[in-house]
Amino acid sequence: MSWFTKKRPPPIRSLVGDGTVLTGSLRFREGLRIDGQVHGDVIAEGDGRSILVIGDNGRVSGRVVASHVIISGEVEGPVHSTELLELQPKARVFGEVRYELLEMHPGAQVDGDLTPLKTAAKPALKLAATNDA
């Protein structure tokens, strides 16, 4: 169970508005919404909870790192979500995706590897019956 179901998500305090083009790395705490374009990395700082929302018109060309990532727009670069990654129906991701939990809606597209952060340990294979007596 994710912490998002137990606690309120952090507030979105920053916005890259529609029509805005930002060139360079963008670092934030708590919450950020992108409806414009960012040409550079978008990274949540600190070990605290964070939420990044990339709206329908939002575009990021660079690395994306946050606890909770919601993508409705486009990301060209790797995405790393330490808690929950939500890929909405119009989401387009071109790059490697790493996540703890993944929610992918029909219509969302990923052109790259999907890799969970924790790989469940596989139980040892035990044979039900053997010919040894």
Side-chain angles (χ1 to χ4, degrees):
M1 181 174 272
S2 172
W3 58 264
F4 288 101
T5 58
K6 296 178 187 175
K7 299 178 183 176
R8 293 177 50 195
I12 294 178
R13 298 190 188 278
S14 302
L15 169 68
V16 175
D18 196 5
T20 302
V21 178
L22 179 80
T23 301
S25 293
L26 179 58
R27 300 195 184 275
F28 69 98
R29 291 188 185 275
E30 295 186 304
L32 169 66
R33 181 177 177 93
I34 298 173
D35 289 321
Q37 296 181 33
V38 176
H39 301 284
D41 297 340
V42 178
I43 300 173
E45 290 188 327
D47 295 331
R49 299 179 309 146
S50 60
I51 185 167
L52 172 63
V53 178
I54 301 173
D56 289 351
N57 296 323
R59 303 284 177 266
V60 175
S61 297
R63 187 168 50 123
V64 169
V65 179
S67 299
H68 185 178
V69 179
I70 302 170
I71 301 174
S72 295
E74 184 175 299
V75 175
E76 190 172 322
V79 175
H80 184 97
S81 173
T82 58
E83 286 287 334
L84 175 62
L85 172 62
E86 296 180 45
L87 299 175
Q88 300 297 317
K90 294 181 182 180
R92 304 288 177 266
V93 178
F94 304 94
E96 178 185 353
V97 176
R98 295 178 53 85
Y99 60 90
E100 179 68 28
L101 295 171
L102 174 65
E103 182 179 312
M104 186 169 179
H105 292 260
Q109 295 181 357
V110 175
D111 185 1
D113 292 336
L114 287 167
T115 306
L117 293 175
K118 291 184 181 177
T119 53
K122 295 181 182 178
L125 181 62
K126 294 181 182 180
L127 300 176
T130 64
N131 290 335
D132 298 334

